[in-house]
Amino acid sequence: MKTDARDRQRIEEAIARLAATRWPGAAIASVEAIAGDASSRRYVRCRLRGPSAPRAVVAMLMDSREVALSSEELGVFGESGPEEIPFVNVARYLSRFCRAIPEIYDVAADGTCILLEDVGDVSLWAEAGRVPADAELWFERALDLLAEIQRRARDDGTGCYAFHQAFDRRLFAWELDHFLEYGVRPLPEPLERECRRQLDGLAECLAGLDRVFCHRDYHAWNIHVQDGRLRLLDFQDALLGPAAYDAASLLTDRCTPSLVGLDRAAELFERFADRAGLGGRERAAFFDCALQRALKVIGRFHYLADCKGKPGYLSFLPDVVATAKAAAARSGRAGALGEVLENWLRGESETS
C-alpha cells in the first residue's frame, strides 16, 4: 500500500479511534500493509496493545464511501447507492449460520474503515499447493462449505442485499461484453456478429436457471485457512445466481486446474451437486458457468491492467485461456467463440 506520512497518520488515527471504542484502553503497536487481491480496497494488519483487545485485527480501508459500496455493474440501488456498506450487510446475514465469516468489530462513521477479525494470510490456494496430494481434500471442504451456504441461505426478510440483486441476463451480457471490449483484438464484422450471437445465447441460458445465494467470487484466493478452519472473504457482491456458478468459480478460477484438473473438477462438482440437491439443468450448467466466468476473467484482467494499473494478473491469462477453450469445447460452444479464443485474443503485453 503506497501512502505518504500524512495519509499513514490519518489511517492510524482512524484505526486507533475504532480500536479504543471497541476495546477501551487499546492502542496500536504496529501497522503493516497486507495484500488485497484484485480489490479496490486496501488492507492493513494492526497489532494491538491492551488487556481486552485481540493481538491483531485487520482494517479494510476505502478512499471514500463510494468505494465501499457495491460494484457499479450491479446497479440495483440507483444513483444514491445502498444505505449500508454491502460487506457489512452481507456479513451480518451470513454470520447467523456460517462460522467461516470474519467478525466485524467496528465501522467508521463515514464508512471508509472497517475493523475485522484477522483470519491470517494463508489462502486456500496456498494451503492446497503446500501438499499437492492433499489439494483435492481442501477443495472438497470448500465445496462442502458452499453446499451448506446454499442450503441455508434463504431470504428471511431482514434486508440482506444478496436477495435483491441477481445474475440476470443483463449482468451476464455485461460481463461477456467486458471480454470482447478488453480481452479481444478488433474482429472482422462477420466473426464478431457470430461470436456475439453465441455469447448472447450463453447469457440467456445461464439467466434462465434457478437461482440460489451466490458469492460471485468464490475462489481459492478468497478463502483462507486458519487453524484448520476455512474463512470466507470478499462476499460484498453476493447476489442470486446459478447454483453451479460458485462451484465452477472455485474449481476453474485462474490456475486452479493445475492442481485439480478439469476431469476431476467435474467429478468433484457432481459430488457437490449431490450434497446441494441440484437438479438436472443445474448440474448440466457446470461448464457453461466455467466458460462464462473464464471469459469474464480474461476481460477483467486486461481491464485491471489497462484501467487500474494492476498488470500482475495478466500472468494468469495462459491458464484462464486454456480453461476457456476447454470449457467451450465441453459445453458445445466452440464455433466462432473457439476461433476468437484461438486467434484473436490480446497478448499479455498488448494495451487497448
Side-chain angles (χ1 to χ4, degrees):
M1 181 179 67
K2 295 181 179 180
T3 58
D4 57 25
R6 182 177 298 179
D7 188 36
R8 183 180 179 88
Q9 181 180 358
R10 178 185 63 81
I11 289 170
E12 292 189 6
E13 288 175 352
I15 295 170
R17 286 194 297 271
L18 290 178
T21 300
R22 182 65 169 78
W23 305 284
I28 295 176
S30 65
V31 176
E32 62 186 62
I34 55 179
D37 203 49
S39 176
S40 58
R41 302 156 185 85
R42 299 179 292 168
Y43 297 84
V44 295
R45 174 171 289 112
C46 309
R47 309 288 179 184
L48 301 179
R49 296 190 302 265
S52 61
R55 293 180 59 186
V57 297
V58 167
M60 179 193 298
L61 305 169
M62 287 71 68
D63 291 332
S64 67
R65 177 175 171 78
E66 286 69 29
V67 173
L69 302 181
S70 62
S71 298
E72 60 182 356
E73 67 269 16
L74 295 181
V76 298
F77 297 108
E79 293 183 2
S80 61
E83 295 181 0
E84 183 177 31
I85 297 171
F87 183 92
V88 175
N89 176 277
V90 179
R92 183 174 59 250
Y93 172 79
L94 287 175
S95 62
R96 294 171 187 165
F97 59 84
C98 181
R99 295 179 60 248
I101 306 303
E103 182 178 353
I104 296 177
Y105 296 128
D106 208 346
V107 182
D110 63 0
T112 61
C113 181
I114 303 175
L115 279 194
L116 299 168
E117 179 186 1
D118 185 357
V119 299
D121 297 318
V122 182
S123 67
L124 177 68
W125 172 256
E127 184 65 25
R130 191 174 60 83
V131 182
D134 295 336
E136 287 186 13
L137 297 177
W138 286 108
F139 281 89
E140 286 179 358
R141 288 186 59 185
L143 288 170
D144 288 345
L145 173 62
L146 177 61
E148 177 189 4
I149 291 173
Q150 288 192 3
R151 284 197 309 271
R152 301 189 65 176
R154 297 290 183 271
D155 187 359
D156 59 3
T158 57
C160 177
Y161 289 158
F163 298 103
H164 299 277
Q165 51 196 15
F167 243 139
D168 55 15
R169 190 182 186 283
R170 178 196 62 82
L171 181 54
F172 280 123
W174 184 91
E175 292 190 342
L176 294 170
D177 281 344
H178 214 59
F179 162 69
L180 291 176
E181 181 178 0
Y182 292 99
V184 177
R185 292 184 285 114
L187 296 172
E189 193 276 333
L191 180 59
E192 180 179 356
R193 183 172 61 249
E194 180 59 21
C195 184
R196 285 190 180 277
R197 187 190 67 78
Q198 282 190 267
L199 295 179
D200 286 346
L202 176 60
E204 185 172 356
C205 176
L206 292 176
L209 295 170
D210 290 342
R211 295 169 181 163
V212 300
F213 183 100
C214 183
H215 179 289
R216 197 189 177 202
D217 218 11
Y218 195 84
H219 57 62
W221 290 263
N222 277 340
I223 304 169
H224 281 206
V225 179
Q226 182 185 44
D227 299 328
R229 293 174 57 198
L230 298 185
R231 310 306 303 274
L232 184 57
L233 305 170
D234 213 25
F235 39 73
Q236 63 277 348
D237 287 340
L239 75 180
L240 297 176
Y245 185 88
D246 280 347
S249 171
L250 175 70
L251 294 170
T252 66
D253 193 73
R254 304 186 192 182
C255 50
T256 299
S258 66
L259 276 180
V260 181
L262 287 182
D263 287 338
R264 184 56 180 150
E267 294 172 358
L268 292 177
F269 173 72
E270 286 300 320
R271 175 183 175 275
F272 160 79
D274 288 340
R275 295 207 60 180
L278 303 192
R281 290 185 68 218
E282 284 65 38
R283 289 173 184 264
F286 176 72
F287 281 111
D288 274 348
C289 287
L291 173 60
Q292 191 277 339
R293 182 166 177 87
L295 297 177
K296 170 258 186 83
V297 168
I298 291 170
R300 189 65 178 174
F301 285 174
H302 277 293
Y303 169 80
L304 288 173
D306 293 346
C307 303
K308 300 295 183 180
K310 296 181 177 182
Y313 295 95
L314 296 178
S315 64
F316 289 113
L317 282 180
D319 291 293
V320 179
V321 171
T323 295
K325 291 178 180 179
R330 292 182 185 226
S331 63
R333 297 184 185 275
L337 178 57
E339 167 70 12
V340 171
L341 290 169
E342 195 63 44
N343 297 311
W344 292 91
L345 295 182
R346 289 174 56 201
E348 292 182 37
S349 61
E350 292 182 55
T351 58
S352 62

